[in-house]
Amino acid sequence: MKVSVVKNILEANDRIAQENRAIFDENDLLVFNLMSSPGAGKTSLLENTIDALKEDLKIGVIEGDIQSSQDAERIAEKGIPAVQINTGGACHLDGNMIRDTFKEFDFDALDLLVVENVGNLVCPAEFKVGEDFKAMILSVTEGEDKPAKYPLMFHESKVLLINKIDLLPYVDCSVEKIKKEALKINPEMTIFEISCKTGEGLDAWYNWLREEVKTRGSARKQ
Amino acid sequence: MRKHNAKVLRSVRLDIGQLSAIVPESLSFCFEVMTSGTELEGAKLIMEIIPLRGTCRDCGREFEIKEYAFECPHCSSPHIDTIAGQELSIVEMEVD
Ligand SMILES: Nc1nc2c(ncn2[C@@H]2O[C@H](COP(=O)(O)OP(=O)(O)O)[C@@H](O)[C@H]2O)c(=O)[nH]1
Ligand SMILES: [Mg+2]
Ligand SMILES: [Zn+2]
């Protein structure tokens, strides 16, 4: 006997993500989901961004790692509310894990919430957590073939930050090639070339993010 | 299964989009490991890979998106809506 089912396997997660999103909307909170492979510079980007914007914006951070709370501690040192999620093996965050952190935050007092996902270029792209947009980092030491190898993440991300450009003299990696391949998969992608070490290129990112917080907030109030 | 008074699961059909995070070989392997030694042992996992398709927001035409190039092959517009190829669904189960 054949039984027709037609059930989207990610439906349960999508539903929770939508509920999270409704709560973020009520609080006029811009939320982005930051993804990359391990070590590409997610926490470094957050540290820099917090230093640059914390006078203008009230920022909160959710840190996702398989194990340890080092990243949340790095962020908390800056006087920013930070909650660590340990997935205990899972290679991505999902809507449910994000919802479980809500009791730790006073969303009303925040303008921007950043979710640092588990280091992984594959699965995080498949799971919504209720974010306004996804942002990804690719560091130049990872190679220019990554867009072709991990198309889903490039397709789902609104922003690509090409990090560690201070290392370009030492690696065989063409930023132009990364940009070209990424834009093929996602023609509307906004791309920044940055170094979290020297600070190069970061001002453009800060300005873009400020603008994003401003326009999202006012779009919702209408 | 319970609802249909079924005793044996013969097969499960999945639709897997070409642009999904699923590696069919790994899923197949996991399915075997998970089912072996259980009531579901022997069930087949049948996966259909759904190619990427899009429609163009500018000229309205529909086409296959080849090599992950999100550009309209008719008018070169980059404004493409993906209409297929991101699925991850259970479509059908065969039970006895
Ligand atoms: N040279 C260089 N190193 C960087 C840069 N950004 C991050 N790193 C280093 O890369 C390593 C991993 O960074 P981290 O922010 O922890 O990456 P995460 O795992 O993505 O959160 C650390 O040793 C950073 O100091 C950069 O722009 N240039
Ligand atoms: Mg980190
Ligand atoms: Zn067209």
Side-chain angles (χ1 to χ4, degrees), chain B residues 55-61 63 71-77 79-80:
Chain B
T55 50
C56 174
R57 256 180 267 156
D58 288 319
C59 76
R61 273 180 277 200
F63 49 88
E71 184 186 86
C72 175
H74 305 291
C75 74
S76 300
S77 161
H79 304 118
I80 308 298

Side-chain angles (χ1 to χ4, degrees), chain A residues 36-44 74 116 163-164 166-167 195-197:
Chain A
S36 80
S37 51
K42 295 180 295 301
T43 312
S44 305
R74 273 166 72 181
E116 178 180 334
N163 189 28
K164 308 197 186 180
D166 57 292
L167 298 178
S195 165
C196 291
K197 185 167 180 181

Side-chain angles (χ1 to χ4, degrees), chain A:
Chain A
M1 175 175 46
K2 286 191 173 161
V3 186
S4 165
V5 194
V6 194
K7 185 166 170 52
N8 178 353
I9 295 171
L10 295 175
E11 187 184 272
N13 184 65
D14 288 352
R15 206 185 49 239
I16 296 171
Q18 253 173 30
E19 292 166 8
N20 291 352
R21 180 63 191 267
I23 291 169
F24 299 147
D25 280 353
E26 271 168 33
N27 289 283
D28 272 336
L29 189 58
L30 184 86
V31 182
F32 76 88
N33 182 350
L34 182 60
M35 311 176 295
S36 80
S37 51
K42 295 180 295 301
T43 312
S44 305
L45 178 72
L46 289 183
E47 288 170 320
N48 280 291
T49 305
I50 289 164
D51 286 342
L53 299 182
K54 75 174 172 192
E55 302 300 323
D56 311 345
L57 296 177
K58 282 170 244 116
I59 307 174
V61 175
I62 297 175
E63 285 289 343
D65 278 295
I66 291 178
Q67 217 28 274
S68 114
S69 57
Q70 292 177 33
D71 280 1
E73 285 158 22
R74 273 166 72 181
I75 300 297
E77 264 171 36
K78 304 202 170 288
I80 294 289
V83 175
Q84 180 78 48
I85 299 175
N86 283 140
T87 62
C91 60
H92 58 268
L93 296 175
D94 62 31
N96 213 4
M97 298 178 200
I98 297 301
R99 184 169 62 185
D100 285 344
T101 68
F102 288 2
K103 55 184 182 305
E104 317 276 342
F105 286 104
D106 175 13
F107 284 152
D108 215 23
L110 296 182
D111 304 309
L112 171 66
L113 178 70
V114 189
V115 177
E116 178 180 334
N117 220 305
V118 181
N120 176 347
L121 275 182
V122 186
C123 308
E126 198 76 88
F127 290 83
K128 298 188 183 83
V129 300
E131 68 275 50
D132 291 273
F133 64 87
K134 293 181 163 72
M136 67 172 294
I137 303 179
L138 183 72
S139 56
V140 299
T141 50
E142 294 170 76
E144 60 200 24
D145 58 352
K146 291 301 167 293
K149 285 191 177 158
Y150 301 94
L152 180 65
M153 184 152 295
F154 286 83
H155 185 254
E156 296 297 311
S157 299
K158 176 170 170 166
V159 191
L160 167 63
L161 297 124
I162 303 176
N163 189 28
K164 308 197 186 180
I165 56 170
D166 57 292
L167 298 178
L168 277 172
Y170 314 104
V171 291
D172 279 326
C173 176
S174 154
V175 169
E176 287 316 307
K177 177 106 189 286
I178 294 175
K179 283 167 55 176
K180 187 167 152 250
E181 292 291 316
L183 288 171
K184 198 178 97 178
I185 296 164
N186 184 352
E188 287 161 270
M189 202 171 211
T190 302
I191 303 180
F192 297 97
E193 297 164 42
I194 61 165
S195 165
C196 291
K197 185 167 180 181
T198 67
E200 198 182 340
L202 283 172
D203 281 339
W205 154 250
Y206 302 148
N207 289 337
W208 183 89
L209 187 57
R210 257 197 213 101
E211 206 46 44
E212 207 62 22
V213 173
K214 217 190 286 168
T215 52
R216 286 305 160 104
S218 52
R220 267 189 216 133
K221 277 181 197 121
Q222 278 162 15

